[in-house]
Amino acid sequence: MMILGIIITAIAYLIARRISLATRMPLLNPIFVAGAMVVAVIHFTPLSYEAYDAGGSLIVRVLGPIVVVLAVPLYKNKEVLKKYKRPVFVGVFAGIASSLVSVTALVKLFNMDMDILLSLVPKSITNPMAIEVVKMIGGIKELTVIFVAVTGIAGPAICQWVFKIFSIDNDTAKGIALGAASHGVGTAKAVEISDEAGAAASLSMGISGVVTILIAIIVVRIFF
């Protein structure tokens, strides 16, 4: 059954990728469309979630090592990143702060449970890191996976509109924003923009993940 989950996921992604390239619509993100296809297959066929997850979960486990590949554009553009090192770190920490503040404010505003807050804290970091954060601080792993997916899809879907509205033309700035806000999916989008944007996004995603983990652990141990 393990191979079945992998095959279904791969076919769904290939079809979703073709749809995305054919339509060029930001909202038809391959991850979103492929996810919807997999849900439809599980819902409308005899295939159970447990049977699919035997292979689907394997894909999640290999995401961590695959993310290392993003170090290639980082190395190629190391001189550019050295040149903009101050804006890079300011942008990364601004992204982390805005994410944590907005999550806390929304949870308090809508009077949500603490489990929701803890599940939302790692929403802007890559899935392998987010799952480990939830294991350490509490929360609901399944919700975190959903929040991470939604965040990753939303960033690339609206980034061009945001860049246009705020007249952001610098590729390094675009990469910092995408990496800090939308983790691996945002970084993949940044690579499409340019190698420079991809390098900035890789660095931004990595720093955001590490710092978010540290902040989450410290905050939970102090206040909870």
Side-chain angles (χ1 to χ4, degrees), residues 61 136 207-208:
R61 287 199 292 272
M136 288 187 286
I207 296 174
S208 296

Side-chain angles (χ1 to χ4, degrees), residues 40-194:
V41 169
I42 295 173
H43 183 73
F44 294 108
T45 70
L47 179 70
S48 67
Y49 171 75
E50 289 73 21
Y52 165 77
D53 192 52
S57 60
L58 180 63
I59 297 174
V60 175
R61 287 199 292 272
V62 301
L63 282 177
I66 289 176
V67 169
V68 177
V69 176
L70 296 172
V72 174
L74 180 62
Y75 177 78
K76 287 182 178 179
N77 292 272
K78 59 183 183 296
E79 296 304 323
V80 175
L81 295 177
K82 286 180 182 178
K83 178 181 177 182
Y84 294 113
K85 58 185 176 183
R86 184 172 295 177
V88 166
F89 284 98
V90 170
V92 169
F93 282 96
I96 295 170
S98 63
S99 176
L100 294 176
V101 170
S102 62
V103 163
T104 304
L106 287 171
V107 169
K108 295 293 183 183
L109 178 64
F110 293 101
N111 197 28
M112 297 180 186
D113 294 336
M114 184 56 62
D115 284 345
I116 303 296
L117 173 60
L118 296 177
S119 302
L120 274 166
V121 165
K123 69 175 180 60
S124 293
I125 62 177
T126 189
N127 223 5
M129 287 185 172
I131 291 173
E132 292 305 316
V133 169
V134 172
K135 287 180 181 177
M136 288 187 286
I137 68 175
I140 304 169
K141 184 181 73 173
E142 290 77 11
L143 283 180
T144 297
V145 171
I146 294 172
F147 295 146
V148 170
V150 171
T151 303
I153 292 168
I158 67 172
C159 68
Q160 296 299 344
W161 297 331
V162 173
F163 296 152
K164 185 176 181 179
I165 291 171
F166 292 97
S167 300
I168 300 173
D169 299 319
N170 185 280
D171 282 357
T172 299
K174 292 178 180 179
I176 293 169
L178 285 166
S182 298
H183 48 82
V185 184
T187 301
K189 177 65 177 179
V191 171
E192 292 179 7
I193 295 173
S194 71

